């Protein structure tokens, strides 16, 4: 039983911790563990295969993420109902998981009462963060939203300190200066600036920061006893289901039945089949992007995670500028580079002092 509990705690922690892009506590699957036992050409072959596998995960993660952001923005340009579209994307992800569980292609997860409480909390902040992101993407340019969302580490640090009383080394906070300064400089004269896009992106940062911290607190409170078959992808699937249920009253209050009228207005230029297909595809890309992220992050060191996550935002910003031909000033480019560089520096510094504290405690 002790072994089962330990395994459940490890897999549950993996999923909950990496639910946020700023979480750097993903369990490490050291691809070299077994390589050291063997020798000769087999070592090189195994090492190369492992590297190709990880590289494939990251490449797929980037592609799915970039394509999702582009498809999502194109869909919102046709049907400007971000809350409803976001909720329906949660529905698509939920149905995808349910199909896998009912057909037994993936073992169905079973939650304990403490597990349901934990997932319910994480699901709420996941829903809030995603819906606010959708509002930001609907109100402004994709590039602008992701420039502002580079501030997420700042919110994570503040929430962790002020709300939960967990403070870090002063040097870690110092690295947030270029993050805040770079983003502020980029937004100062941004042509695609929108106050609604700015405020909702900032709200999304806060929600995702709370999601990351609440995830860890919920796991600690449960003692790791969240349930059975809780692999990282299974737990994210349950979080998605909870997020969909919680998003229903939000879009009904926020947009009511305006989605139906917007759908009708879009029909002269698009068929019902095209609208449904676009919604389903964007929902699948949203879910699969996150699922592949879990597969990628479970095989790398947290430092690699930090580099990869920073580069992901760069790819999204560049791709969106190219696809949507969004004009971006030199000031915005410089500010974005400084801000994203600060995010990377923050991640590496945070990881360094966390490892230092662990070594001193040992």
């Amino acid at each position: 039983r002790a072994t089962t509990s330990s395994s459940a705690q490890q897999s549950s922690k993996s999923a909950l911790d990496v639910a946020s892009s700023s979480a750097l506590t993903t369990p490490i699957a050291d691809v070299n563990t077994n390589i050291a036992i063997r020798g000769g050409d087999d070592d090189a072959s195994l090492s190369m295969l492992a590297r190709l596998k990880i590289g494939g995960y990251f490449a797929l993660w980037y592609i799915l993420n970039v394509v999702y952001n582009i498809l999502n923005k194109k869909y919102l340009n046709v049907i400007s109902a971000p809350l409803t579209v976001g909720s329906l994307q949660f529905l698509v992800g939920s149905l995808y998981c349910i199909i896998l569980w009912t057909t037994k292609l993936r073992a169905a997860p079973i939650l304990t009462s403490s597990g349901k409480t934990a997932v319910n909390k994480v699901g709420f902040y996941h829903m809030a963060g995603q819906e606010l992101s959708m509002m930001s993407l609907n109100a402004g340019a994709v590039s602008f939203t992701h420039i502002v969302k580079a501030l997420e580490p700042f919110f994570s640090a503040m929430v962790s300190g002020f709300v939960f009383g967990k403070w870090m080394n002063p040097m870690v906070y110092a690295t947030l200066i270029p993050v805040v300064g770079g983003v502020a400089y980029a937004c100062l004269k941004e042509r695609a600036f929108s106050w609604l896009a700015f405020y909702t992106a900032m709200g999304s940062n806060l929600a995702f920061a709370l999601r990351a911290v609440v995830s860890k607190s919920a796991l600690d409170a449960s003692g790791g006893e969240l349930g059975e078959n809780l692999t990282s992808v299974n737990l994210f699937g349950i979080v998605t289901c909870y997020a969909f249920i919680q998003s229903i009253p939000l879009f009904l209050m926020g947009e009511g039945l305006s989605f139906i009228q917007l759908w009708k207005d879009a029909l002269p230029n698009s068929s019902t089949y095209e609208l449904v297909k676009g919604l389903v595809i964007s929902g699948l890309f949203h879910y699969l992007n996150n699922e592949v992220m879990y597969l990628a992050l479970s095989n790398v060191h947290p430092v690699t995670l930090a580099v990869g996550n920073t580069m992901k935002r760069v790819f999204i910003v560049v791709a969106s500028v190219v696809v949507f031909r969004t004009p971006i000033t030199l000031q915005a480019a410089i500010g974005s580079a400084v801000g994203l560089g600060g995010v990377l520096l923050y991640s590496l510094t945070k990881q360094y002092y966390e490892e230092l504290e662990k070594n001193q405690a040992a």
Side-chain angles (χ1 to χ4, degrees), residues 129 132-133 135-137 139 195-205:
L132 286 167
S133 292
M135 291 180 68
S136 180
L137 289 167
W195 280 113
L196 178 58
F198 178 78
Y199 285 136
T200 48
M202 294 287 276
S204 174
N205 284 337

Side-chain angles (χ1 to χ4, degrees), residues 280-294:
V280 172
I281 291 177
S282 65
L284 281 175
F285 268 92
H286 173 250
Y287 183 84
L288 293 175
N289 148 60
N290 285 281
E291 185 163 291
V292 172
M293 177 189 69
Y294 288 120

Side-chain angles (χ1 to χ4, degrees), residues 76 79-87 130-131 134-136 138 255:
L76 289 174
I79 299 181
S80 183
L83 296 179
T84 306
V85 173
S87 180
Q130 178 61 17
E131 291 287 47
M134 292 291 290
M135 291 180 68
S136 180
N138 183 66
E255 296 171 350

